[in-house]
């Protein structure tokens, strides 16, 4: 909420964004670097592990492009393609996928990240919702398997148009979101009151448990037994 302070807010936002990645690396070591896509140098293929998980099995054109660029850098010699974890295929195999995300105040996972949306796709009007609990819900659209089939049919055409700057974290994030959006998601947006003992990241997990946080838990239970 400090970022909303007139004049000072923009500066605070810039400082926190700049400090987030090195701060996470300092606190969480390798995991912190991985979460902020800063581990490309540790990979023999120059691909951050979280990025690999988001695109492999869902967006093969991304990997084709990357290995093509590696071949060019080696003077045309074919780059040996590493066998990556087929996370995307495993994700698509689920009968349904549901995302629960805090509309505001989550100090661990931001609203766009938790709901796998770009900033421009966020239903920002939900921030002004006066009610607490579940304030927004969107049904999963499309069929995962049919989406992947269509993607496979268009892959050659997409590959010719595809470009990516591996040094741009914003571009990497966009590619990851676009890739993960190729499977269907049910999105549940949650707005909870904030207090000294009510941090949204914990509160959405019913810590503490009250009628608002338990409404989220009950919603999840209904989905699991459906």
């Amino acid at each position: 909420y400090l970022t909303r302070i007139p004049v000072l807010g923009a500066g605070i936002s810039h400082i926190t964004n700049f400090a987030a990645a090195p701060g996470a690396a300092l606190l969480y070591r390798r995991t912190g670097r991985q979460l902020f896509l800063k581990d490309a140098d540790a990979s023999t293929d120059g691909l951050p592990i979280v990025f690999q998980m988001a695109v492999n099995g869902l967006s093969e054109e991304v990997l084709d492009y990357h290995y093509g660029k590696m071949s060019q850098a080696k003077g045309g010699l074919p780059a040996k393609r590493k066998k990556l974890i087929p996370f995307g295929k495993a994700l698509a195999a689920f009968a349904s996928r549901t995302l629960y995300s805090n509309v505001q105040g989550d100090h661990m996972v931001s609203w766009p990240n938790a709901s796998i949306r770009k900033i421009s796709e966020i239903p920002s009007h939900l921030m002004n919702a006066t009610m607490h609990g579940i304030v927004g819900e969107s049904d999963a659209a499309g069929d995962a398997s049919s989406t992947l089939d269509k993607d496979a049919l268009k892959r050659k055409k997409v590959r010719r148009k595809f470009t990516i700057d591996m040094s741009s974290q914003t571009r990497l994030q966009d590619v990851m979101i676009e890739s993960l959006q190729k499977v269907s998601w049910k999105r549940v947006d949650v707005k909870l009151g904030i207090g000294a003992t009510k941090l949204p990241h914990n509160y959405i997990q019913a810590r503490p448990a009250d009628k608002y946080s338990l409404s989220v838990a009950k919603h999840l239970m209904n989905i699991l037994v459906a």
Side-chain angles (χ1 to χ4, degrees):
Y1 298 102
L2 292 176
T3 59
R4 297 184 183 180
I5 299 175
V7 183
L8 295 176
I12 294 173
S13 177
H14 179 74
I15 293 172
T16 54
N17 289 338
F18 179 79
L26 181 64
L27 290 173
Y28 302 109
R29 304 295 182 179
R30 183 173 64 178
T31 299
R33 293 193 295 272
Q34 291 173 341
L35 288 175
F36 282 87
L37 308 180
K38 299 298 185 181
D39 61 321
D41 293 341
S43 169
T44 56
D45 289 34
L47 292 170
I49 184 63
V50 176
F51 183 82
Q52 292 179 29
M53 294 173 68
V55 302
N56 190 37
L58 293 174
S59 300
E60 293 299 316
E61 71 277 4
V62 177
L63 299 176
D64 291 344
Y65 173 84
H66 176 67
Y67 283 99
K69 294 291 286 185
M70 286 183 65
S71 296
Q72 293 178 15
K74 293 182 179 180
L77 296 175
K80 185 177 180 180
R81 185 159 177 165
K82 183 179 178 182
K83 187 176 182 180
L84 306 177
I85 301 172
F87 181 81
K89 292 180 180 178
L91 186 63
F94 282 89
S96 65
R97 289 157 295 275
T98 303
L99 299 166
Y100 289 84
S101 55
N102 280 312
V103 168
Q104 64 177 10
D106 196 312
H107 63 292
M108 293 293 288
V109 186
S110 68
W111 186 16
N113 285 353
S115 59
I116 308 184
R117 295 179 175 119
K118 296 180 181 180
I119 297 295
S120 59
E121 298 169 345
I122 287 293
S124 55
H125 66 279
L126 294 180
M127 294 188 69
N128 299 320
T130 56
M131 61 181 290
H132 285 164
I134 295 174
V135 295
E137 188 172 347
S138 60
D139 291 329
D143 176 74
S145 59
S146 63
T147 303
L148 291 177
D149 290 342
K150 291 178 182 178
D151 179 58
L153 292 174
K154 295 179 180 179
R155 190 172 297 154
K156 289 185 179 180
K157 184 182 295 185
V158 173
R159 187 186 296 123
R160 293 172 190 161
K161 300 177 181 178
F162 190 84
T163 58
I164 178 173
D165 179 4
M166 296 300 294
S167 64
S168 170
Q169 187 165 354
T170 299
R171 179 63 177 132
L172 290 179
Q173 292 171 346
D174 285 346
V175 172
M176 290 167 62
I177 291 172
E178 291 164 4
S179 180
L180 291 170
Q181 287 180 344
K182 289 181 179 180
V183 293
S184 56
W185 296 95
K186 182 181 183 70
R187 291 179 172 85
V188 182
D189 300 302
V190 180
K191 185 176 182 180
L192 299 169
I194 300 174
T197 61
K198 294 181 177 180
L199 298 175
H201 190 75
N202 298 334
Y203 198 13
I204 197 174
Q205 303 170 49
R207 297 182 293 163
D210 59 20
K211 65 178 182 179
Y212 300 119
S213 59
L214 288 176
S215 68
V216 181
K218 290 176 180 178
H219 187 279
L220 174 59
M221 289 170 61
N222 291 334
I223 288 181
L224 294 176
V225 301

